[in-house]
Amino acid sequence: MSDDQFISIVHLTDLHLFTDLNSYLVGIPTNQSFQAVLTEVKQTIPKIDLLLLTGDLSQDCSAASYEFLRQSLDVASFPAYCLAGNHDDLNLMAEYLPSEYVHLVRSQNIGGWRILLLSSVVVGAVHGNLAESELAWLEENLNAYPDHPTLIAFHHPAIDIGSAWMDEICLTNKEQFWQICDRNPQIQAVVNGHAHQDFEQIYETAHNSVRCLVSPSTCVQFQPRTPQLIIDNQAPAWRHLRLYADGTITTEVHRLSSASFPPDLAANGY
Ligand SMILES: Nc1ncnc2c1ncn2[C@@H]1O[C@@H]2COP(=O)(O)O[C@H]2[C@H]1O
């Protein structure tokens, strides 16, 4: 099948960038691991229509960390859509991120698909929630394009992933979100970060099956299915998605292989 028969999206999440190239999160210099990921993405994915960045872009909430991100994405030269996570500062993102390539868009039509970006951030909290205004906006947008296969992205997973500590800090109003999905069978996929691991599940509503895709971080990973946070030895990673006009998706996670960023496995949090 030729490359132009699908939309190629690279999902990058939970970058946790700092001002300083030599600052570490759980043993990993996160600016360096992100740069290595971006370089490998460019070298290994032949066609990229869109980079999708789903929050926790910054760890130290500094202007310099967002400037570093914008500069890195400008050098990569792919359209990049960014949304916020619980570690981010929306005002700094709006001030320092937008560029020719970097966009804080909320909706986009691309190759017959609708891409919708929501904010699940609760200012000052680690967990997520979709505000009434966000849910109303989502429903309005879905009603406007009922025949377009749709991918929705936000930071906090809308499903339990089987780690008690993480499930407590994911989306708190999952049911409201899934009720909207039930009324809008054009929704094909929900893409999230926050969990620092690869997790995939089909969510069956009464009227459709939604592909839930949670992707690993470009820096440190958490072990799956654990009662408390345990650092995983898995490499920095990203997810590649191919969206086809008939609404189908193929996807897989890629782990960084060109450089090694071992985490501090003894750390029990950050
Ligand atoms: N030991 C811990 N137990 C529970 N949560 C933690 C621990 N350490 C850090 N966290 C929080 O868990 C969050 C997981 O995702 P974040 O990167 O958003 O930010 C992390 C911290 O806010």
Side-chain angles (χ1 to χ4, degrees):
M1 188 166 286
S2 77
D3 275 2
D4 54 10
Q5 287 181 281
F6 58 83
I7 306 158
S8 174
I9 298 181
V10 173
H11 181 210
L12 303 167
T13 194
D14 298 275
L15 286 53
H16 292 271
L17 300 172
F18 291 97
T19 297
D20 185 351
L21 267 181
N22 294 309
S23 290
Y24 290 73
L25 183 73
V26 191
I28 297 183
T30 57
N31 296 45
Q32 294 179 40
S33 66
F34 172 65
Q35 275 189 323
V37 162
L38 204 50
T39 301
E40 198 166 299
V41 162
K42 205 166 175 175
Q43 286 168 350
T44 57
I45 311 283
K47 168 186 114 115
I48 299 172
D49 296 305
L50 187 67
L51 302 178
L52 181 61
L53 287 85
T54 58
D56 284 1
L57 310 176
S58 176
Q59 172 67 15
D60 64 4
C61 262
S62 62
S65 64
Y66 291 113
E67 282 193 315
F68 171 85
L69 176 58
R70 188 197 65 236
Q71 283 164 9
S72 304
L73 294 172
D74 280 346
V75 168
S77 307
F78 302 113
Y81 295 174
C82 298
L83 58 80
N86 47 294
H87 284 275
D88 288 309
D89 181 317
L90 272 168
N91 292 329
L92 287 179
M93 282 173 65
E95 190 172 351
Y96 290 99
L97 280 185
S99 74
E100 182 187 349
Y101 292 104
V102 186
H103 309 283
L104 302 180
V105 294
R106 301 192 71 196
S107 64
Q108 187 69 31
N109 286 0
I110 172 167
W113 276 70
R114 285 287 283 166
I115 310 291
L116 301 180
L117 287 84
L118 303 180
S119 173
S120 58
V121 172
V122 179
V123 175
V126 178
H127 70 265
N129 189 73
L130 292 169
E132 289 296 337
S133 55
E134 208 65 9
L135 292 170
W137 179 89
L138 173 62
E139 194 128 35
E140 252 173 54
N141 264 271
L142 292 164
N143 290 341
Y145 292 89
D147 300 322
H148 285 55
T150 300
L151 179 150
I152 301 175
F154 47 91
H155 183 66
H156 298 83
I159 37 155
D160 285 344
I161 63 160
S163 286
W165 73 276
M166 177 51 72
D167 292 339
E168 271 174 29
I169 55 168
C170 284
L171 198 70
T172 50
N173 57 343
K174 298 181 180 76
E175 272 183 25
Q176 276 180 290
F177 174 71
W178 289 116
Q179 280 164 12
I180 292 178
C181 292
D182 187 33
R183 291 194 285 275
N184 293 278
Q186 74 269 36
I187 298 171
Q188 303 296 329
V190 179
V191 174
N192 309 115
H194 190 56
H196 292 234
Q197 61 198 272
D198 174 13
F199 184 84
E200 182 167 352
Q201 185 182 305
I202 307 283
Y203 189 99
E204 302 285 356
T205 74
H207 299 106
N208 61 344
S209 302
V210 180
R211 196 95 175 257
C212 302
L213 300 166
V214 180
S215 302
S217 162
T218 62
C219 56
V220 63
Q221 318 299 353
F222 303 146
Q223 276 189 24
R225 294 175 295 280
T226 58
Q228 294 96 28
L229 186 160
I230 302 177
I231 301 297
D232 202 343
N233 204 15
Q234 296 260 29
W238 69 92
R239 177 184 293 281
H240 185 207
L241 300 105
R242 298 169 209 79
L243 313 187
Y244 294 87
D246 66 357
T248 55
I249 296 174
T250 61
T251 182
E252 70 281 326
V253 163
H254 297 253
R255 301 268 168 198
L256 184 70
S257 62
S258 57
S260 176
F261 292 96
D264 174 4
L265 292 174
N268 57 10
Y270 57 84

